[in-house]
């Protein structure tokens, strides 16, 4: 039982790493369970997990917006590029 | 190229640049999340277009032709961003980020303050919050940013990203993980809820 507990215990560092893998849908079942157990007893990791999920969503939104963004090259940038292709 | 043809190609390229430059810049910025990189890529594209002007066939659409070159430049950019030097640099920064967040036992070295209470939707619609996060993304080391951008805009699976960026999967996890920690630290520092 103790050996089993030891196997199930992961550090916060490890748990945070699992959270990232989870966001890529690439976390194994066992590691997923370890993460769940850890988050149940560790408030800090639970917080980070929530933050991490929200950062995911926000990054997604920002990058999607960039697709619709019409940027304009400044006069200075235009001149720099024109100079380079002379 | 004769002098006349040379002049002709230069005029065409300059005219195309005037017409499509902003579109190319916007696209490159979307694909790399870095205005600086985007500008370099547009410049490289125009230079390549000028040099290989004789390969351009008059009946094809110049915009399509330029975007083909630009997309190849973007792929090259991703491949070349994983040099040993950039890897070493991001390794150093990565260790710093981890040391900053965890102690030797792998326990958080500072209290984790949530970025938000129960106001998640509100934050996602908050332009100020998004603009702070955008700054944070643009300030990530290039390799880490590439991993993030590839994940989010292309919704690619880990294995595919590894192939395109020419990195191993353990590298990918490590970079993605550190990028995430860095974004969180950056938000903790720059985003004030009050």
């Amino acid at each position: 039982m103790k050996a089993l507990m030891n196997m199930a215990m992961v550090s916060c560092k490890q748990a945070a790493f699992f959270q990232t893998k989870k966001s890529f849908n690439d976390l194994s079942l066992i590691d997923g369970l370890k993460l769940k157990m850890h988050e149940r007893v560790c408030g800090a990791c639970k917080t980070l997990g929530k933050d991490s999920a929200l950062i995911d969503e926000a990054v997604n939104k920002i990058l999607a917006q960039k697709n619709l963004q019409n940027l304009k090259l400044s006069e200075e940038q235009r001149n720099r590029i024109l100079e380079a292709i002379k | 190229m004769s002098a006349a043809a040379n002049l002709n190609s230069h005029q065409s390229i300059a005219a195309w640049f005037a017409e499509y430059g902003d579109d190319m810049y916007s696209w490159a910025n979307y694909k790399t999340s870095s205005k600086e990189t985007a500008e370099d890529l547009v410049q490289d594209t125009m230079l390549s277009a000028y040099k290989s002007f004789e390969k351009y066939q008059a009946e094809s659409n110049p915009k399509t032709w330029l975007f083909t070159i630009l997309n190849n430049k973007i792929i090259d950019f991703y491949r070349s961003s994983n040099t040993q030097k950039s890897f070493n640099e991001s390794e150093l920064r990565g260790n710093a980020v981890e040391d900053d967040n965890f102690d030797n036992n792998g326990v958080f070295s500072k209290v984790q303050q949530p970025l938000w209470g129960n106001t998640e939707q509100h934050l996602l619609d908050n332009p100020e919050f998004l603009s702070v996060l955008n700054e944070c993304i643009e300030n990530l080391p290039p390799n880490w940013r590439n991993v993030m951008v590839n994940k989010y805009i292309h919704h690619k699976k880990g294995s595919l990203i590894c192939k395109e960026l020419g990195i191993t999967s353990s590298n990918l996890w490590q970079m993605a993980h550190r990028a995430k920690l860095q974004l969180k630290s950056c938000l903790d520092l720059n985003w004030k809820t009050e």
Side-chain angles (χ1 to χ4, degrees):
Chain A
M1 190 62 197
K2 201 175 167 201
L4 203 69
M5 283 299 288
N6 274 342
M7 253 168 59
M9 289 307 284
V10 291
S11 67
C12 292
K13 198 172 173 177
Q14 188 82 42
F17 186 64
F18 286 165
Q19 285 169 346
T20 303
K21 280 186 105 172
K22 193 175 158 192
S23 75
F24 277 73
N25 289 329
D26 233 330
L27 190 63
S28 71
L29 200 67
I30 303 263
D31 289 348
L33 278 173
K34 285 182 184 172
L35 176 62
K36 240 185 204 154
M37 283 182 63
H38 183 99
E39 281 179 345
R40 191 166 286 182
V41 294
C42 174
C45 286
K46 210 170 161 188
T47 302
L48 185 69
K50 272 194 183 162
D51 281 3
S52 169
L54 199 83
I55 291 175
D56 267 352
E57 222 176 311
V59 171
N60 217 344
K61 187 163 179 178
I62 289 173
L63 293 178
Q65 278 174 351
K66 281 197 184 179
N67 194 20
L68 306 171
Q69 224 172 27
N70 287 318
L71 294 183
K72 298 233 177 299
L73 287 159
S74 66
E75 207 51 44
E76 201 190 333
Q77 287 174 309
R78 282 190 174 272
N79 289 337
R80 234 184 348 245
I81 293 176
L82 282 172
E83 195 61 36
I85 57 174
K86 247 180 196 168
Chain B
M1 250 190 273
S2 71
N6 207 349
L7 184 69
N8 186 14
S9 69
H10 196 263
Q11 276 174 347
S12 306
I13 295 288
W16 292 344
F17 174 59
E19 190 163 357
Y20 308 118
D22 290 342
D23 289 348
M24 293 166 72
Y25 181 51
S26 303
W27 176 248
N29 178 57
Y30 170 56
K31 298 284 272 187
T32 62
S33 252
S34 157
K35 292 200 174 86
E36 205 184 314
T37 308
E39 186 188 329
D40 288 347
L41 288 169
V42 172
Q43 180 172 321
D44 283 356
T45 303
M46 295 321 294
L47 210 57
S48 292
Y50 178 56
K51 282 182 188 152
S52 55
F53 188 72
E54 69 272 18
K55 289 189 197 141
Y56 170 73
Q57 280 151 354
E59 66 272 19
S60 59
N61 181 341
K63 191 176 176 183
T64 312
W65 188 61
L66 290 174
F67 269 76
T68 309
I69 302 176
L70 176 61
N71 282 326
N72 283 328
K73 297 278 175 205
I74 293 171
I75 294 171
D76 288 347
F77 159 73
Y78 278 131
R79 296 226 171 103
S80 64
S81 64
N82 281 297
T83 57
Q84 192 60 42
K85 184 169 168 274
S86 65
F87 183 74
N88 290 346
E89 275 167 17
S90 72
E91 192 64 11
L92 277 180
R93 221 168 128 189
N95 291 335
V97 171
E98 292 199 354
D99 289 348
D100 195 37
N101 277 282
F102 302 101
D103 67 15
N104 288 338
N105 298 319
V107 179
F108 286 113
S109 49
K110 52 189 172 198
V111 181
Q112 293 295 306
Q113 296 287 1
L115 288 167
W116 37 79
N118 293 317
T119 53
E120 295 174 18
Q121 289 313 318
H122 177 66
L123 264 186
L124 278 176
D125 291 328
N126 184 332
E128 261 173 76
F129 173 74
L130 294 178
S131 119
V132 172
L133 181 56
N134 186 38
E135 282 283 308
C136 294
I137 297 173
E138 299 206 353
N139 284 324
L140 287 174
N143 308 15
W144 302 359
R145 194 176 52 233
N146 293 346
V147 168
M148 300 293 270
V149 170
N150 267 281
K151 175 187 177 225
Y152 292 102
I153 50 177
H154 305 300
H155 299 287
K156 279 184 196 144
K157 285 212 71 158
S159 54
L160 196 64
I161 301 177
C162 291
K163 212 173 127 199
E164 296 210 345
L165 299 183
I167 53 178
T168 64
S169 59
S170 57
N171 273 341
L172 172 76
W173 300 130
Q174 200 168 41
M175 286 198 256
H177 176 54
R178 288 166 166 182
K180 187 76 78 61
L181 285 178
Q182 175 74 40
L183 288 181
K184 167 83 165 99
S185 302
C186 178
L187 284 170
D188 283 342
L189 206 64
N190 297 304
W191 171 251
K192 304 272 176 284
T193 31
E194 270 91 36

